[in-house]
Amino acid sequence: MITNSKYYSGLPPRRLPRGNLPHVTIQCPVYKEGLYSVIDPTVKSLKAAIATYEMQGGTANIFINDDGMQLIPEEEAQMRREYYDEQRIGWVSRPKHNPKPSDGQIPFIRAGKFKKASNMNYAMAVSARVEEKLAVIPRSPSWNQETENQAYQRCLHQVIKEDEGRTWAEGNIRIGDYILLIDSDTRVPADCFLDAVSEMEASPQVAILQYSSGVMNVTTSFFENCITFFTNLVYTNIKYAVANGDVAPFVGHNAILRWSAIQDIAYDQDGTEKYWSEETVSEDFDMALRLQCSGYVVRLGGYTGSGFQEGVSLTVYDELARWEKYAYGCNELVFHPIRYWPVRGPFTPLFRKFMLSSMPLPSKFTIMAYVGTYYAIASAWILTLLNYFMVGWFNGHLDHYYVDSFKIYFAIVIVFNCLGNIALSVLRYRLDEEGILHALWTTFKWVIMLTCFLGGLSLHLSQAILSHMFSIDMSWGATAKEVENTTFFEEIPKVLKKFKVTFAGCIAVTGLMIYLGTNAPPSYSISFFTAIWPLATLVACHFFLPIALNPSLMLFTWAQRVDSALSALIDTLIPSLPDEDRGSLDERRDDALDLARRNSVRLQSVLFYLAQADSISVLEEGQCGQEKAIRFSNLSARLLEQPVLSHKWGILLLLHQLADSDPVDKQTIRDESHKSPSAYKEPVVLKDAYSSARLSKLRTHDNRTHDTRVIGNGGHSQKDPSNNVHKSVEPEAMNTDKPSEYPEESALLRDLPFTLQGLSSTHLPFPSLSTIDLPPTLPLPVISLLHTLAEPSLLYRVLSDFTQSRDEGLIGQSLRSAISNELRSYLGLIATLEGEIRRALTSVGHNELRGGIGKAGITLKRCVIWTREATMGLRLMSLMAEEVKSKKGGQLISMIHAFSSSHGDPFVGAFAERMLGHITRPFYDMLRQWIYDGELLDPYHEFFVLEQESPADGASQVDPRRAPATSVWEDKYKLEETLIPSIITEELAKKVFLIGKSLNFIRYGCGDSAWVEAYCKEASRELHYGDTATLESSIDKAYKTTMARLIDLMDNKFHLFEHLRALKKYLLLGQGDFIALLMESLSANLERPAGSQYRHTLTAQLEHAIRGSNAQYDSQEVLRRLDARLLELSHGEIGWDVFTLEYKVDAPVDVVITAWASKQYLVVFNFLWRIKRVEFALGSTWRRCMTGARGVLAAVDDKLGRDWKKSRCCMAEMIHFVNQLQYYILFEVIEASWDQLQAAITKTDCTLDDLIEAHTRYLKAITHKGLLGSARSSATGSREDSFTSQLHHILKTMLAYKDAVDGLYSFSVAEFTRRQELSAKLETRTMQGRWGGGAGLMDKDTEDDLLRSPSPNPIPLAAQKLLNPQGRTDSPFPISNEALMASGASDDQMLPALKTRLGELERDFRGRLSVLLGDLAGQPDADMKFLGVVMNFNDVYAPKKRRREGREGREKKTPGEGKKEVERGKA
């Protein structure tokens, strides 16, 4: 429901660019609704929408089809005409229904049972006739809008004249490209026209865009609230169905219609072109069918929500009539009346055309399902009655082929009343319309009432359908839009009159059910619950429909009782005429009732009014003329309809008394104004009234002299004794016969144009920039007028001085230019005013200047009125000029935009909008240059993108993470958020920043300036304020294009993604065969000391590993960057410690793979290389031991078997540890992080910043989860070992253990050799016969001598290496028995040392591993916890946490000290 499809719009369309938008006509048919209670709120809603559309560049007019103006009294009709003229509304009104005229009247028939269609047809026909006359008028090249308007008025008057008084029309009734069809009680969104015309322009096949509507409640009655819920339910289900592919409906209002499509399906009838069907009641359904049969589409717009609002039925009578009208209309669309079947056939031509049309089959099914719904409801009563007899009399005989209605009823209750309401609640919850609990409560709250209403419709709908079938006359009036005051006493007779047939039928069926259930013979008795319940429910719903759903039955006010009696009296006094249909009779009685109600109200008002003021009755009696009496009646009626005023007649009395009061002689007023201040007490109200928001108040002094110095913005009044101190004038000295005592108004008017231009004149001089002197002898009212006129004068001087000043900023200069333009417009106004003053002074003679200047149309008061708007503009510009001192660039634009968007005064908003169009030009020029060329042309730092200066040499330390290209990308430009103007969003500003930075990087970092220049030529366009849609689309398009180009360059030209894969394969050991071959070829060489390593040797071995593995198939671009190098050498290190691989990258790839990233790759490689080395060493030793176990080791098993078993177990643990650690880092860490990196960099909207951030996260994840994090501080402040340090010690221990095992193996070989030598000697002696006899044994001494005989290698080389580490740092427990080393250790001395060393290394390994497992168990990361689990899968180790103190001391203890502590602990 938030997507767009052929028949549904869940999202607003892409708006058309502003300017030259299609014209929209709002068509609104009205009848007798209240002018100010119903029509006026609708017009105000439309005016707001029209104002918004006009600001966007479109035009619109209101076209009211007033069907009641010629029916209501003359004074009310005059009120409507005046209102339409005041609101600039075009309207057309047709005559009343008069089929049988009398007294020479012209007959006129208002066709149709529901008059709305014929009303709109009549008004649209008048408009079309006017257009036809306009079309034949030739247009000259000088034709303009004024000429067009004059021609239109002539054509309209010709049409009215041709109709001989039948047609009333005024205003603009021309129809534009699109029609917004509304009802008289509609509310529309303030910004709806642009979206509507944008969608219609983009979809020429759409003829009707029907908008979903909310409900506008008029009352708080339970019935209106229930119908409100039902209406919202219907619209929700319609939106859901149409969003899922169903055909959209047309409900006859709140819809945009394509005028050309309506003209396409128009048809001729009786020589007149008809647009809406007058023969059918459902003219909207007929219109939708004809349009769809012609290939057009009806679409539902759901993106406005409840912006469009409509009224619902206020009474049960209106809602029932609406359902009857729909049922009648559906039947007349499908069937002819039965009497026409023999001639025309049962089906109408429209239905046959509909069934045979090319409309999609699902749409046909949907429409037929809608029509069939009314037949289903209408047939409910007859089928239920039939079910009652069939189930009651034939129960048991129908079970095999008939399902009784109770079972269906039960299923319907479960499906619709329960599950349907739950589904509706869930749907509204998912649409965020309301909470789930509130939705459930709302849906289930109205179940009983809607059951009563829908259950009581059957008889009424069948009446409507049968009335059409049998050609029985049936008509309906307009739906009531206003609340009708009624009471219980009025409703009872109305209900009995309207529903007498229903009540009679219900009572008859109820009596029949009682009789058949209690007193009927057994063979006719019906007492089954399943038979009685459905019919009883139907009868109860029909009976209680007009009673339970009628809120008026709860009102008992006396005034409404009087109104009820008046209605009954009208019905008695006005009988029906011969051959008069029911509709005409009801219309005559309604007119009479309305007249009687108005007269009764007016009688009460007049009686009250006469008690207050007898003199106003003169107008009511017509003594002042009929025209004035009618006008007074209209104005008084409008006053009475105002809901705000409570004392209406008191206000009217005050106005009447003021009008009848004696006028005061002007000379008396002038004399009174010259009295001294002591005699004239100025009220506080006058002081406030004469003060201004921008100027100081007038002050009255005790020395009887007015302070006539007017001070402008921040100015001060400084009195000069020689010039500005005016002598007091005594009252008796003021002689009105001496005009020279004070300047006359004509003299002031003559000086006024100079004053308004800031120039000193005879009577109004300017002592300083912000001060003006006023004549002191003028009357106080004239002083106040001059005081008001002085404000624009002073403001103009200040602003003129401001425009002459200089500003170091393009936007500030643009502001000065805009103010200068406004000041020129102001001077144009002054020039016009000066012309009017000169004309007036010329037309009035010199002798009449003193008192007759006002007759010429020019006075100071009128000048105040004429300059009021200009003063407001100057005031606003003065505020801007003050603020510009502390703001620049985007801040200045935001300040002015705040006036446009947030100020409540429409004038201020429009003025600021006009200023912004000029002020923002430099900003949009800089924006265009930045997003299309990647260049920043901002000499005064006003744009929100700032170019940062490069730091001076040695001024700041360079960040090691940044390479030169990285600095260009990240440090060259900066987004200054304080300079982002409010006319664009922060998100849009970030996009702009990225676009320009990317273009600049493509030009200079990637060397692709040709593409940037071509892109600039192709995509560059002018940007200006107000065209928000174009700006956003341009930025979005530039953003997508630039980002795509930059990523494409990094991928295809600079092979960034290939480099990342190469780094993973070679530095993160992802290429397994290459790493294995490299380590095997380098192992012998790396065992030598670090000082004997040569780079050319390492490079040769590296090339050998590449050629011997799958790495040979990688591109040369990758392989040439791979190199072997040595780290910084330290004393005692061997080749394994200093060897490393290096992968070289250059610009612009180093934007992503920075120096910091390369260092991280090196750290990870060294760590993984060390693990691989340990794995390689342990594997080599393990293979040797396994090979020797079947030969050498088996021979010495009696002496060393126990030791070898323990050694092999410990080596197996170490190999398991290394394998699990290696698997974890390579797969759980690196591969998982690589997948996340791939997902991030392959997104369609990925930017270079996103790529850099993803790569940084990738490396941090590897170093953190790969146990390479830095050391951390404990809670006590001491430093704890990091995982890297722990693993370093464990790996050193494992290498030392490997060396010890090698020593044990060498010892075992030596032992095996000695035993072989002993056996050979024994055999030799035996062969020499030295033992004699069969003695096979030697004495002990001889054996000892043989065993002590020197051997070629008394101490094996491996054992010597083990026992003499030569300063090696790999062994954490070096043996310090110097005597053993000096004298050549014997067997008895060497074997215990080896055993001791192996045991200590084993204990150290297990101890450190237990600490590591304890640390892993406390990690928040699940993968790191799981690493500890797999390392200790059988719980052979006991994880423990380290003690925080003394750890460093324990680690430095020698093996002997450790042994002593163990023994001490045992003791």
Side-chain angles (χ1 to χ4, degrees):
M1 297 179 68
I2 54 175
T3 57
N4 294 341
S5 62
K6 180 178 180 180
Y7 300 109
Y8 181 75
S9 295
L11 297 173
R14 186 174 183 177
R15 292 190 166 189
L16 295 174
R18 298 191 176 191
N20 197 21
L21 295 175
H23 184 83
V24 179
T25 296
I26 301 99
Q27 187 175 11
C28 177
V30 302
Y31 188 49
K32 294 182 179 180
E33 295 88 347
L35 178 59
Y36 289 97
S37 58
V38 178
I39 300 176
D40 181 62
T42 302
V43 171
K44 289 180 179 177
S45 174
L46 294 174
K47 284 290 187 179
I50 291 174
T52 303
Y53 189 52
E54 289 177 346
M55 290 177 60
Q56 294 164 344
T59 55
N61 69 299
I62 303 176
F63 182 25
I64 287 186
N65 309 151
D66 199 324
D67 216 21
M69 182 174 288
Q70 298 196 33
L71 304 180
I72 59 179
E74 174 60 28
E75 58 269 20
E76 293 188 12
Q78 180 63 26
M79 288 174 61
R80 287 198 177 189
R81 285 193 291 267
E82 291 178 356
Y83 178 81
Y84 294 156
D85 181 65
E86 179 183 350
Q87 300 294 334
R88 297 182 180 179
I89 296 174
W91 57 274
V92 172
S93 177
R94 60 175 178 168
K96 65 180 180 179
H97 186 68
N98 191 12
K100 297 179 180 180
S102 59
D103 300 334
Q105 296 178 349
I106 301 175
F108 186 81
I109 298 176
R110 290 189 170 186
K113 298 185 178 298
F114 191 60
K115 315 299 184 190
K116 177 181 177 181
S118 59
N119 178 28
M120 291 191 294
N121 279 338
Y122 187 90
M124 295 167 81
V126 173
S127 177
R129 290 163 57 194
V130 174
E131 292 292 344
E132 290 174 358
K133 294 183 178 297
L134 282 170
V136 299
I137 299 177
R139 265 73 169 176
S140 62
S142 60
W143 192 273
N144 53 27
Q145 187 61 43
E146 183 178 358
T147 313
E148 180 76 14
N149 294 337
Q150 294 173 357
Y152 164 75
Q153 292 295 335
R154 290 196 303 271
C155 295
L156 177 61
H157 292 156
Q158 291 176 12
V159 171
I160 296 174
K161 186 177 181 181
E162 290 172 359
D163 289 344
E164 298 178 352
R166 293 193 307 272
T167 302
W168 295 359
E170 284 183 9
N172 183 11
I173 63 171
R174 304 182 71 175
I175 299 177
D177 302 306
Y178 301 104
I179 301 173
L180 172 61
L181 183 60
I182 63 171
D183 284 343
S184 60
D185 59 342
T186 296
R187 304 292 183 270
V188 301
D191 188 7
C192 62
F193 290 130
L194 185 55
D195 286 334
V197 300
S198 299
E199 184 162 1
M200 297 296 280
E201 288 288 314
S203 306
Q205 78 280 6
V206 175
I208 299 177
L209 179 59
Q210 174 67 59
Y211 283 109
S212 61
S213 302
V215 177
M216 177 189 62
N217 291 99
V218 178
T219 68
T220 57
S221 67
F222 65 88
F223 179 77
E224 187 182 9
N225 291 335
C226 178
I227 299 301
T228 297
F229 164 76
F230 184 72
T231 304
N232 290 330
L233 179 149
V234 170
Y235 273 114
T236 301
N237 290 336
I238 288 175
K239 288 194 293 184
Y240 181 79
V242 177
N244 284 278
D246 217 336
V247 63
F250 173 45
V251 301
H253 54 269
N254 295 347
I256 291 287
L257 285 71
R258 190 182 299 274
W259 176 225
S260 59
I262 296 176
Q263 291 173 316
D264 287 344
I265 63 167
Y267 60 95
D268 289 334
Q269 184 180 20
D270 300 331
T272 307
E273 190 175 40
K274 302 292 185 183
Y275 307 101
W276 299 87
S277 175
E278 299 175 357
E279 293 79 18
T280 60
V281 172
S282 299
E283 76 287 339
D284 45 9
F285 192 36
D286 173 85
M287 172 70 75
L289 279 180
R290 287 189 285 129
L291 285 170
Q292 293 180 84
C293 290
S294 299
Y296 287 101
V297 172
V298 179
R299 181 177 292 174
L300 179 68
Y303 51 82
T304 57
S306 58
F308 284 91
Q309 293 183 345
E310 62 182 25
V312 295
S313 301
L314 303 179
T315 63
V316 68
Y317 314 115
D318 287 338
E319 186 66 17
L320 193 58
R322 190 166 68 92
W323 281 80
E324 290 177 350
K325 183 185 70 171
Y326 291 164
Y328 190 98
C330 288
N331 191 74
E332 67 181 359
L333 287 173
V334 179
F335 297 106
H336 284 303
I338 293 179
R339 64 175 181 171
Y340 296 122
W341 284 16
V343 180
R344 304 178 183 176
F347 299 108
T348 62
L350 178 62
F351 181 73
R352 293 196 297 268
K353 181 180 179 182
F354 159 70
M355 294 302 295
L356 299 176
S357 67
S358 60
M359 187 185 302
L361 188 60
S363 301
K364 294 181 180 179
F365 282 139
T366 301
I367 294 173
M368 290 307 301
Y370 169 74
V371 174
T373 303
Y374 292 98
Y375 291 101
I377 297 176
S379 62
W381 71 272
I382 187 65
L383 294 179
T384 305
L385 187 62
L386 183 62
N387 174 80
Y388 171 74
F389 291 113
M390 293 179 66
V391 175
W393 287 341
F394 304 102
N395 189 28
H397 303 282
L398 305 173
D399 291 345
H400 298 288
Y401 57 88
Y402 181 78
V403 180
D404 60 80
S405 61
F406 183 78
K407 295 180 180 179
I408 300 175
Y409 169 82
F410 186 77
I412 289 175
V413 169
I414 296 298
V415 173
F416 290 97
N417 288 11
C418 296
L419 299 181
N421 285 332
I422 293 174
L424 177 64
S425 303
V426 172
L427 176 61
R428 289 184 172 176
Y429 169 72
R430 293 189 63 187
L431 294 176
D432 292 333
E433 293 181 357
E434 53 186 335
I436 184 66
L437 295 179
H438 184 267
L440 288 171
W441 162 248
T442 304
T443 52
F444 282 100
K445 179 173 64 174
W446 302 108
V447 167
I448 297 177
M449 186 173 295
L450 288 177
T451 300
C452 180
F453 177 75
L454 297 176
L457 288 177
S458 179
L459 190 61
H460 304 283
L461 297 192
S462 62
Q463 177 190 0
I465 292 175
L466 293 174
S467 295
H468 176 261
M469 281 293 194
F470 294 99
S471 302
I472 300 174
D473 183 53
M474 195 172 188
S475 61
W476 299 269
T479 304
K481 308 296 184 182
E482 301 175 86
V483 182
E484 182 180 357
N485 293 326
T486 184
T487 63
F488 176 84
F489 303 100
E490 180 182 4
E491 286 300 310
I492 288 296
K494 185 185 295 186
V495 169
L496 293 176
K497 177 181 177 182
K498 289 182 178 289
F499 296 92
K500 55 187 177 183
V501 178
T502 304
F503 289 148
C506 291
I507 293 172
V509 174
T510 302
L512 177 63
M513 294 170 63
I514 294 174
Y515 170 73
L516 293 178
T518 57
N519 299 325
S523 59
Y524 291 97
S525 176
I526 299 177
S527 58
F528 298 109
F529 177 78
T530 56
I532 296 174
W533 176 255
L535 184 59
T537 303
L538 190 71
V539 171
C541 290
H542 278 80
F543 187 85
F544 288 105
L545 171 66
I547 298 175
L549 304 185
N550 196 339
S552 299
L553 292 177
M554 303 296 107
L555 301 176
F556 296 90
T557 60
W558 173 258
Q560 292 168 347
R561 290 186 61 188
V562 172
D563 191 69
S564 176
L566 190 61
S567 176
L569 181 62
I570 293 296
D571 292 342
T572 304
L573 295 178
I574 302 181
S576 61
L577 300 176
D579 300 330
E580 184 181 22
D581 57 1
R582 183 66 184 177
S584 300
L585 177 62
D586 290 341
E587 186 175 356
R588 288 199 299 117
R589 287 179 175 176
D590 289 342
D591 293 342
L593 182 60
D594 291 342
L595 180 62
R597 286 171 178 168
R598 286 194 300 271
N599 288 335
S600 64
V601 173
R602 182 175 299 173
L603 178 61
Q604 298 175 19
S605 302
V606 168
L607 290 175
F608 172 77
Y609 170 71
L610 291 177
Q612 300 291 328
D614 296 334
S615 56
I616 303 183
S617 61
V618 175
L619 289 175
E620 291 289 343
E621 296 172 0
Q623 295 182 8
C624 294
Q626 183 179 3
E627 182 179 354
K628 290 186 177 181
I630 293 176
R631 182 170 180 81
F632 172 77
S633 177
N634 294 338
L635 294 175
S636 61
R638 292 175 62 178
L639 178 65
L640 290 175
E641 289 186 4
Q642 296 297 321
V644 179
L645 303 176
S646 56
H647 303 286
K648 301 182 179 75
W649 289 104
I651 295 173
L652 195 58
L653 178 61
L654 174 63
L655 295 175
H656 177 65
Q657 290 176 348
L658 291 175
D660 285 350
S661 60
D662 295 333
V664 184
D665 183 64
K666 295 181 180 180
Q667 185 65 37
T668 305
I669 295 177
R670 183 178 290 120
D671 292 343
E672 290 294 329
S673 66
H674 284 81
K675 291 183 179 180
S676 65
S678 60
Y680 178 78
K681 301 296 183 181
E682 181 183 7
V684 178
V685 177
L686 291 179
K687 292 181 180 180
D688 294 338
Y690 290 146
S691 65
S692 172
R694 300 288 298 162
L695 300 175
S696 57
K697 294 183 180 180
L698 296 175
R699 295 184 294 274
T700 304
H701 301 275
D702 293 337
N703 60 357
R704 297 181 297 177
T705 303
H706 300 302
D707 184 2
T708 56
R709 176 71 54 85
V710 178
I711 305 171
N713 300 326
H716 300 279
S717 176
Q718 299 176 354
K719 293 196 174 185
D720 187 353
S722 61
N723 297 326
N724 298 324
V725 179
H726 305 281
K727 296 181 179 180
S728 60
V729 181
E730 296 297 333
E732 58 273 11
M734 290 188 175
N735 187 358
T736 58
D737 295 334
K738 298 179 181 180
S740 60
E741 292 184 359
Y742 61 89
E744 293 294 335
E745 187 174 9
S746 58
L748 295 174
L749 287 171
R750 189 178 292 107
D751 291 348
L752 185 60
F754 301 98
T755 302
L756 293 176
Q757 298 178 62
L759 303 175
S760 296
S761 59
T762 304
H763 302 96
L764 302 171
F766 287 92
S768 64
L769 178 65
S770 59
T771 309
I772 183 175
D773 282 342
L774 304 180
T777 56
L778 289 173
L780 192 57
V782 179
I783 289 287
S784 67
L785 293 176
L786 294 177
H787 190 269
T788 304
L789 291 170
E791 182 179 1
S793 308
L794 296 173
L795 291 175
Y796 175 80
R797 288 170 63 90
V798 172
L799 291 173
S800 180
D801 183 70
F802 172 75
T803 56
Q804 301 300 323
S805 61
R806 291 183 55 83
D807 182 86
E808 292 189 359
L810 297 178
I811 297 179
Q813 296 173 16
S814 182
L815 172 64
R816 285 164 171 76
S817 175
I819 293 178
S820 298
N821 291 338
E822 295 296 331
L823 292 181
R824 282 194 290 271
S825 300
Y826 169 76
L827 292 178
L829 171 66
I830 301 307
T832 304
L833 181 62
E834 182 180 10
E836 292 294 326
I837 292 175
R838 290 183 177 180
R839 181 191 57 79
L841 294 177
T842 304
S843 61
V844 179
H846 178 73
N847 295 329
E848 300 176 356
L849 284 178
R850 182 177 179 87
I853 186 64
K855 298 178 181 178
I858 297 295
T859 61
L860 289 175
K861 290 182 179 180
R862 292 186 178 181
C863 292
V864 169
I865 299 300
W866 290 341
T867 58
R868 179 174 297 171
E869 191 170 298
T871 303
M872 293 176 65
L874 294 172
R875 200 178 290 168
L876 182 60
M877 289 188 291
S878 176
L879 286 175
M880 297 177 185
E882 292 178 2
E883 293 292 337
V884 75
K885 300 175 183 177
S886 59
K887 291 179 173 59
K888 69 173 185 177
Q891 299 172 342
L892 181 58
I893 295 176
S894 300
M895 180 268 295
I896 300 175
H897 185 251
F899 287 107
S900 171
S901 59
S902 305
H903 203 282
D905 192 340
F907 171 80
V908 174
F911 189 88
E913 283 282 318
R914 187 168 68 249
M915 294 281 290
L916 280 173
H918 193 94
I919 294 171
T920 54
R921 287 179 185 174
F923 172 80
Y924 280 106
D925 289 341
M926 289 185 279
L927 178 64
R928 183 180 59 83
Q929 193 74 14
W930 175 251
I931 66 174
Y932 290 127
D933 200 43
E935 296 291 345
L936 184 61
L937 300 181
D938 184 19
Y940 300 105
H941 305 292
E942 297 176 290
F943 199 55
F944 56 83
V945 177
L946 299 181
E947 184 173 2
Q948 303 190 96
E949 298 180 357
S950 301
D953 296 338
S956 62
Q957 186 177 359
V958 179
D959 191 345
R961 298 188 183 188
R962 308 187 186 280
T966 310
S967 301
V968 171
W969 175 257
E970 296 187 357
D971 297 336
K972 185 175 182 180
Y973 296 105
K974 174 188 176 184
L975 179 65
E976 184 63 42
E977 296 183 355
T978 59
L979 292 180
I980 299 177
S982 58
I983 58 177
I984 62 174
T985 62
E986 186 174 349
E987 179 182 0
L988 203 62
K990 291 180 179 179
K991 282 187 177 182
V992 169
F993 176 67
L994 276 177
I995 292 170
K997 188 168 68 168
S998 301
L999 288 173
N1000 189 274
F1001 186 74
I1002 291 173
R1003 181 191 293 270
Y1004 298 107
C1006 301
D1008 196 7
S1009 59
W1011 181 87
V1012 176
E1013 294 174 0
Y1015 165 74
C1016 180
K1017 292 179 181 179
E1018 177 184 358
S1020 180
R1021 63 180 63 184
E1022 290 295 330
L1023 302 176
H1024 55 84
Y1025 176 75
D1027 195 0
T1028 307
T1030 303
L1031 175 64
E1032 292 179 355
S1033 63
S1034 300
I1035 291 177
D1036 289 340
K1037 184 177 180 181
Y1039 179 78
K1040 294 177 182 177
T1041 304
T1042 308
M1043 295 302 112
R1045 178 60 181 177
L1046 181 55
I1047 297 299
D1048 180 71
L1049 285 174
M1050 298 298 288
D1051 184 15
N1052 298 324
K1053 183 178 179 180
F1054 300 106
H1055 312 289
L1056 171 63
F1057 298 154
E1058 189 175 354
H1059 292 317
L1060 291 176
R1061 285 190 291 269
L1063 286 167
K1064 176 177 176 292
K1065 290 167 62 175
Y1066 299 116
L1067 295 191
L1068 302 184
L1069 309 191
Q1071 189 75 28
D1073 58 342
F1074 165 77
I1075 296 299
L1077 184 58
L1078 179 65
M1079 182 164 288
E1080 185 177 353
S1081 61
L1082 287 175
S1083 58
N1085 190 46
L1086 294 180
E1087 290 289 345
R1088 294 183 298 174
S1092 62
Q1093 305 293 328
Y1094 298 99
R1095 188 171 181 181
H1096 64 274
T1097 305
L1098 300 177
T1099 304
Q1101 296 295 334
L1102 174 63
E1103 293 178 356
H1104 168 71
I1106 290 174
R1107 289 193 301 270
S1109 64
N1110 287 330
Q1112 61 182 318
Y1113 301 111
D1114 283 343
S1115 65
Q1116 291 301 318
E1117 175 68 19
V1118 171
L1119 297 178
R1120 71 178 180 85
R1121 297 176 182 274
L1122 191 62
D1123 192 14
R1125 70 182 183 92
L1126 298 174
L1127 300 176
E1128 184 178 353
L1129 304 181
S1130 299
H1131 177 70
E1133 292 182 331
I1134 62 175
W1136 289 106
D1137 301 322
V1138 296
F1139 172 79
T1140 187
L1141 286 181
E1142 181 182 21
Y1143 192 88
K1144 301 176 181 178
V1145 295
D1146 47 21
V1149 179
D1150 57 357
V1151 170
V1152 179
I1153 308 173
T1154 61
W1156 173 83
S1158 299
K1159 182 179 179 181
Q1160 296 302 308
Y1161 278 113
L1162 185 61
V1163 170
V1164 177
F1165 171 78
N1166 291 333
F1167 179 63
L1168 294 175
W1169 182 255
R1170 184 177 301 172
I1171 296 175
K1172 277 288 184 183
R1173 172 199 174 187
V1174 173
E1175 180 196 25
F1176 180 79
L1178 291 176
S1180 301
T1181 301
W1182 179 265
R1183 287 190 298 273
R1184 184 190 306 168
C1185 294
M1186 292 299 101
T1187 303
R1190 294 187 295 272
V1192 176
L1193 301 184
V1196 296
D1197 187 66
D1198 57 335
K1199 185 175 182 179
L1200 299 173
R1202 182 180 180 86
D1203 298 326
W1204 274 112
K1205 185 178 294 185
K1206 292 178 61 177
S1207 299
R1208 282 195 294 268
C1209 290
C1210 185
M1211 286 186 63
E1213 293 179 20
M1214 293 180 178
I1215 292 173
H1216 171 73
F1217 170 79
V1218 170
N1219 288 338
Q1220 294 300 328
L1221 178 62
Q1222 190 173 207
Y1223 169 82
Y1224 167 74
I1225 295 176
L1226 292 179
F1227 293 95
E1228 298 293 339
V1229 176
I1230 295 178
E1231 287 296 335
S1233 301
W1234 176 258
D1235 291 341
Q1236 295 177 2
L1237 175 64
Q1238 288 292 101
I1241 65 180
T1242 55
K1243 290 182 179 179
T1244 56
D1245 57 346
C1246 179
T1247 65
L1248 189 57
D1249 277 335
D1250 296 336
L1251 205 154
I1252 294 172
E1253 183 180 358
H1255 185 250
T1256 304
R1257 287 199 306 267
Y1258 167 67
L1259 290 178
K1260 288 182 178 179
I1262 292 176
T1263 54
H1264 171 67
K1265 295 181 65 175
L1267 309 178
L1268 294 174
S1270 59
R1272 60 188 184 277
S1273 298
S1274 65
T1276 60
S1278 61
R1279 300 279 287 180
E1280 294 184 3
D1281 291 339
S1282 66
F1283 288 116
T1284 308
S1285 177
Q1286 294 183 61
L1287 291 174
H1288 174 70
H1289 285 291
I1290 292 175
L1291 295 176
K1292 284 173 59 177
T1293 301
M1294 294 166 69
L1295 288 175
Y1297 194 85
K1298 174 255 181 190
D1299 291 339
V1301 171
D1302 288 343
L1304 182 62
Y1305 185 83
S1306 298
F1307 182 84
S1308 299
V1309 171
E1311 179 68 18
F1312 174 77
T1313 302
R1314 284 193 297 270
R1315 290 190 180 190
Q1316 290 294 327
E1317 291 176 353
L1318 175 61
S1319 177
K1321 289 181 180 181
L1322 288 176
E1323 289 179 1
T1324 301
R1325 292 173 67 89
T1326 301
M1327 291 175 62
Q1328 293 175 357
R1330 296 177 61 184
W1331 293 98
L1337 299 174
M1338 296 178 294
D1339 57 357
K1340 183 67 176 174
D1341 296 335
T1342 304
E1343 183 180 359
D1344 291 340
D1345 291 340
L1346 291 174
L1347 291 175
R1348 286 196 296 269
S1349 62
S1351 63
N1353 188 14
I1355 301 179
L1357 179 63
Q1360 293 179 8
K1361 180 181 177 182
L1362 172 68
L1363 298 175
N1364 185 18
Q1366 298 177 357
R1368 286 279 309 276
T1369 58
D1370 285 345
S1371 177
F1373 302 107
I1375 295 177
S1376 59
N1377 194 343
E1378 298 178 357
L1380 182 66
M1381 298 300 302
S1383 61
S1386 65
D1387 293 346
D1388 295 336
Q1389 295 171 329
M1390 186 188 309
L1391 184 59
L1394 287 173
K1395 291 181 179 180
T1396 301
R1397 180 166 178 77
L1398 288 171
E1400 289 175 346
L1401 289 172
E1402 180 181 356
R1403 286 192 298 272
D1404 182 68
F1405 168 73
R1406 292 184 175 179
R1408 291 183 181 276
L1409 183 55
S1410 298
V1411 173
L1412 176 64
L1413 294 177
D1415 289 347
L1416 289 175
Q1419 292 298 311
D1421 187 81
D1423 293 333
M1424 298 178 72
K1425 286 184 177 180
F1426 188 70
L1427 173 62
V1429 173
V1430 297
M1431 284 182 176
N1432 191 23
F1433 66 95
N1434 54 358
D1435 292 333
V1436 68
Y1437 306 108
K1440 59 182 179 180
K1441 295 184 178 180
R1442 295 169 293 173
R1443 291 180 294 178
R1444 301 300 183 185
E1445 299 176 359
R1447 177 167 180 81
E1448 295 180 359
R1450 290 199 308 274
E1451 290 183 357
K1452 295 180 180 179
K1453 291 177 182 177
T1454 62
E1457 292 173 342
K1459 182 177 181 181
K1460 291 179 181 178
E1461 286 186 1
V1462 173
E1463 294 177 352
R1464 189 182 303 114
K1466 291 181 179 180

